[in-house]
Amino acid sequence: MDKLIIEGGIPLHGIVTIHGAKNSVLPLMAASLLAPGVHQLSNVPCLRDVVTMQKLLTHLGVESKLEAATLTLNSNSLAANDAPYELVKTMRASVLVLGPMLTRWGKARVSLPGGCAIGARPIDLHLGALKQMGAAIDIKEGYVEATAEKLHGANITFDVVTVTGTENILMAATLAEGTTVLKNAAREPEVLDLADYLIKMGARIEGAGTDTITIHGVESLSAGQHTAIGDRIEAGTFLIAGAITGGSVTVENCPSQFLESLIEKLREAGCKVEATENRVTLNASQKLNGVNITTTPFPGFVTDLQAQFMALMTLANGTSVVSETIFENRFQHALELKRLGADITLEGRTAIIKGVKKLSGAPMMATDLRASASLILAGLAAEGTTTIERAYHIDRGYEKIEEKLLKLGAKIQRKNG
Ligand code: UD1
């Protein structure tokens, strides 16, 4: 299994071009199930999760090819209507095929995702909404079996904000009969990006990007072309890499408006941050101060940057408090960070971090995608050598991360075995 080896303590300097957003590309790929023809998606990174979604779509009969960040998907025929456990267990976002398959073909069988490293992550809200739209849903042998001759519009209020739940129902509603209104919908930029593509395909959608989305069902949709938005999590991770190493990093190709809550916290900690429309530059020449963060749905502080921000706080002056309100078990990185000398106390969904003068390199184990990013950041700042086992987690969401870090001056290499 691959491991990453980092010689820390080098301030990073330079410019990073940010790739397309993983969390946009996955639902955009699922949207190809809604219309026959050739869909063309640009700004698509080569990530493990994208490859997993390609495998799932191939299984369903959608042929795809990724070349030079352009993904073509040909969805003329349907070969199967099930999302098997083997694929869903490695990537929960596989559940995004449920809404499109059900609304276009009236039938879908999707493995239940089960638990994952960061929490229970049920899909009850996806299923409840589909039932409101007229679907019959059975759970058999670990699979959701959904059928509906024709879904109909409904007024749906989500109990909690769910990103893939909003996206699944948004896609299902495009071909349903009548009007669907989604309340307490996710406002994440990736939801808006999906809606933008669906509209290009012929869908009638109003209010995407707000907490109320109205969808008027249409008879059919057609394949189109779309460019995915920049990945705000990759951009945020590189900005924090600049901050934690006391360097200066510019990220390009990601709208700075997606990063506002992070930028605010980085400034509060003492970083100098300049933002224009599509470019953010961070300078961290002084020792940073501890600040508190609480993860919330967009536009609040994103849970997918919580682990990385915690790594930053381990070296800040004073005490900081990190509250995780989205996932109940998203602190596994804290235990690994302690191995480098970080002073972190966990109390339920809160982490109390007392800044230390230095971290010292050590062997660590990546447990999930964003946790592995946090460990890399800590390794970049630590004195001496840090080894991160199970590096494959990072490849789910970051394309060529070590190459990008090398260009910024980091000493990092990947080794097999
Ligand atoms: C998406 C993102 C993930 C991000 C998360 C929160 C993708 C592919 N993944 O995941 O990177 O960390 O949003 O921003 O876009 N919930 C329920 N019942 C449901 C659905 C969700 O109780 O049916 C709960 C979850 O357990 C969690 C909260 O709602 O506590 C938010 O989860 P959700 O937004 O659905 O996360 P994902 O869409 O899986």
Side-chain angles (χ1 to χ4, degrees), residues 267-328:
R267 283 187 178 139
E268 200 182 322
C271 300
K272 285 199 184 109
V273 186
E274 279 172 36
T276 56
E277 199 182 335
N278 233 359
R279 186 181 161 106
V280 182
T281 298
L282 171 140
N283 268 287
S285 46
Q286 67 197 61
K287 174 97 173 151
L288 300 182
N289 297 316
V291 295
N292 302 335
I293 59 159
T294 300
T295 61
T296 51
F298 191 82
F301 196 97
V302 59
T303 174
D304 287 351
L305 285 173
Q306 177 259 105
Q308 299 88 317
F309 202 85
M310 188 188 292
L312 178 64
M313 290 298 97
T314 63
L315 286 166
N317 284 324
T319 301
S320 45
V321 177
V322 171
S323 305
E324 172 58 59
T325 73
I326 310 289
F327 294 113
E328 68 274 20

Side-chain angles (χ1 to χ4, degrees), residues 4 55-56 82 141 206 219 236 264 329 343 357:
L4 291 170
K55 279 187 196 158
L56 175 54
D82 68 311
E141 295 160 1
E206 292 144 22
E219 279 291 316
E264 211 174 284
N329 193 25
D343 182 345
K357 287 219 159 56

Side-chain angles (χ1 to χ4, degrees), residues 3 51 54 75 84 120 122 128 152 287 294 317 319 343 385 389 399:
K3 50 174 116 156
V51 173
Q54 277 185 285
S75 65
H152 57 71
K287 174 97 173 151
T294 300
N317 284 324
T319 301
D343 182 345
T385 309
E389 308 245 354
E399 186 182 51

Side-chain angles (χ1 to χ4, degrees), residues 146-199:
T147 48
E149 221 160 85
K150 180 87 181 155
L151 290 175
H152 57 71
N155 289 326
I156 294 159
T157 304
F158 290 111
D159 287 345
V160 287
V161 175
T162 161
V163 177
T164 49
T166 301
E167 292 165 344
N168 229 340
I169 306 310
L170 175 60
M171 288 189 278
T174 56
L175 293 176
E177 207 170 290
T179 298
T180 301
V181 181
L182 302 181
K183 291 205 172 136
N184 200 24
R187 290 182 285 165
E188 269 63 6
E190 295 77 17
V191 175
L192 181 56
D193 202 26
L194 171 65
D196 283 345
Y197 182 46
L198 294 172
I199 291 167

Side-chain angles (χ1 to χ4, degrees), residues 49-241:
D49 277 10
V50 170
V51 173
T52 304
M53 187 58 104
Q54 277 185 285
K55 279 187 196 158
L56 175 54
L57 291 174
T58 304
H59 172 79
L60 297 174
V62 179
E63 288 308 324
S64 65
K65 195 166 159 198
L66 178 58
E67 242 174 17
T70 298
L71 182 68
T72 29
L73 302 122
N74 191 332
S75 65
N76 278 321
S77 57
L78 187 72
N81 58 18
D82 68 311
Y85 177 65
E86 288 65 38
L87 294 170
V88 180
K89 77 172 180 201
T90 59
M91 188 185 70
R92 296 178 39 85
S94 308
V95 76
L96 282 165
V97 300
L98 175 61
M101 276 201 293
L102 184 60
T103 200
R104 180 148 169 231
W105 284 288
K107 208 168 154 187
R109 188 169 178 268
V110 175
S111 170
L112 276 170
C116 81
I118 61 173
R121 300 182 80 173
I123 56 162
D124 55 313
L125 300 173
H126 304 225
L127 302 184
L130 290 172
K131 275 188 198 163
Q132 275 186 268
M133 297 174 76
I137 292 187
D138 267 337
I139 309 286
K140 270 193 205 152
E141 295 160 1
Y143 278 75
V144 175
E145 295 189 355
T147 48
E149 221 160 85
K150 180 87 181 155
L151 290 175
H152 57 71
N155 289 326
I156 294 159
T157 304
F158 290 111
D159 287 345
V160 287
V161 175
T162 161
V163 177
T164 49
T166 301
E167 292 165 344
N168 229 340
I169 306 310
L170 175 60
M171 288 189 278
T174 56
L175 293 176
E177 207 170 290
T179 298
T180 301
V181 181
L182 302 181
K183 291 205 172 136
N184 200 24
R187 290 182 285 165
E188 269 63 6
E190 295 77 17
V191 175
L192 181 56
D193 202 26
L194 171 65
D196 283 345
Y197 182 46
L198 294 172
I199 291 167
K200 285 182 195 165
M201 291 169 68
R204 290 181 57 212
I205 301 169
E206 292 144 22
T210 75
D211 64 3
T212 304
I213 307 179
T214 305
I215 309 112
H216 307 284
V218 295
E219 279 291 316
S220 63
L221 297 170
S222 41
Q225 298 182 350
H226 188 72
T227 302
I229 56 172
D231 195 309
R232 60 196 169 108
I233 311 303
E234 190 203 15
T237 303
F238 276 101
L239 289 175
I240 298 173

Side-chain angles (χ1 to χ4, degrees), residues 342-411:
D343 182 345
I344 304 172
T345 310
L346 298 181
E347 287 174 12
R349 289 185 174 204
T350 302
I352 298 145
I353 303 124
K354 288 191 185 138
V356 292
K357 287 219 159 56
K358 62 166 191 158
L359 299 175
S360 312
M364 295 196 285
M365 179 87 81
T367 49
D368 68 68
L369 167 57
R370 305 306 172 186
S372 42
S374 150
L375 304 189
I376 291 175
L377 294 175
L380 291 169
E383 285 180 7
T385 309
T386 294
T387 313
I388 302 169
E389 308 245 354
R390 302 200 178 164
Y392 61 86
H393 283 293
I394 199 78
D395 303 325
R396 289 190 48 205
Y398 297 82
E399 186 182 51
K400 297 184 181 156
I401 190 165
E402 59 280 28
E403 282 179 29
K404 288 185 171 180
L405 286 169
L406 278 170
K407 280 197 190 141
L408 296 178
K411 283 195 178 163

